[in-house]
Amino acid sequence: MKKIIVIILYIFVIFAANSAEKQNDNKLKSYEKSLKSFESSFDKMDSQSILILISRAYVFGQGNDRFCSPEISVTNLGNVGVRIIAVAIYFRKNNQDIGSSITRISIDPRDTSTRGFYQLKSINCDDIIGVGRVDVCILRNGKDCHANAVFADTGKIPLHKFEKN
């Protein structure tokens, strides 16, 4: 009788262990599925993209001598360095040109470089938009990277790509 109880207890332990493993497998599969869903949300931007963004803009000066000074950030999301990228941005406010900038940067893979010190003819940084174009873009392996450049319409000053008309 004792042996029967031990065998039943042994079977119960094995059944419980298998049940726990199946629950863990289900949790793992659910986690993997949610992770894939999360990763697919980043598919909108190519992993080799070069992101151009104005995340910050400051107001300097006093009284009538105030001006807006944006910082242009360029992020290399790719795994090849950018030998040179030259970006021209034209700034507008209330349908009037208020300034422009030309930024030349070299960027390592997975790095960001920021340039500032531009003076726009505006007493504040509100309601400014930028229209940009990439004049030169060459990777360190010699390939052209114009097609990889993306202007961000988020940030302190939204940027849009210059369209030839």
Side-chain angles (χ1 to χ4, degrees), residues 19-37:
S19 175
E21 280 182 23
K22 287 181 182 178
Q23 287 177 356
N24 287 340
D25 285 346
N26 289 339
K27 287 180 185 176
L28 183 62
K29 286 178 184 176
S30 173
Y31 172 75
E32 287 173 348
K33 184 177 178 183
S34 66
L35 183 61
K36 285 180 184 177
S37 172

Side-chain angles (χ1 to χ4, degrees), residues 114-159:
T114 302
R115 300 288 189 270
F117 309 110
Y118 305 108
Q119 294 185 13
L120 303 180
K121 297 174 189 173
S122 177
I123 61 171
N124 59 41
C125 297
D126 300 331
D127 302 320
I128 297 174
I129 61 166
V131 179
R133 72 171 189 247
V134 176
D135 292 328
V136 176
C137 190
I138 301 171
L139 297 175
R140 290 196 180 128
N141 62 11
K143 293 185 179 179
D144 183 78
C145 53
H146 276 87
N148 301 62
V150 177
F151 290 92
D153 60 357
T154 59
K156 181 66 178 171
I157 297 176
L159 292 176

Side-chain angles (χ1 to χ4, degrees), residues 6-121:
V6 169
I7 292 172
I8 292 174
L9 187 60
Y10 181 72
I11 291 172
F12 178 75
V13 168
I14 290 174
F15 177 75
N18 285 339
S19 175
E21 280 182 23
K22 287 181 182 178
Q23 287 177 356
N24 287 340
D25 285 346
N26 289 339
K27 287 180 185 176
L28 183 62
K29 286 178 184 176
S30 173
Y31 172 75
E32 287 173 348
K33 184 177 178 183
S34 66
L35 183 61
K36 285 180 184 177
S37 172
F38 179 71
E39 288 173 347
S40 71
S41 66
F42 291 104
D43 289 344
K44 294 174 186 156
M45 186 176 293
D46 184 8
S47 64
Q48 300 301 316
S49 293
I50 300 165
L51 180 64
I52 304 162
L53 170 75
I54 298 179
S55 59
R56 295 183 292 212
Y58 303 99
V59 175
F60 292 110
Q62 296 178 351
N64 291 337
D65 294 331
R66 291 173 38 165
F67 61 89
C68 177
S69 180
E71 285 186 351
I72 299 169
S73 296
V74 181
T75 302
N76 179 3
L77 300 174
N79 54 8
V80 176
V82 176
R83 181 181 300 155
I84 185 169
I85 182 169
V87 179
I89 300 176
Y90 302 92
F91 296 95
R92 295 181 61 85
K93 182 174 184 174
N94 299 327
N95 290 326
Q96 293 182 351
D97 293 330
I98 59 169
S100 62
S101 68
I102 297 176
T103 305
R104 204 174 56 182
I105 299 175
S106 176
I107 317 165
D108 290 329
R110 307 282 185 211
D111 201 6
T112 298
S113 185
T114 302
R115 300 288 189 270
F117 309 110
Y118 305 108
Q119 294 185 13
L120 303 180
K121 297 174 189 173

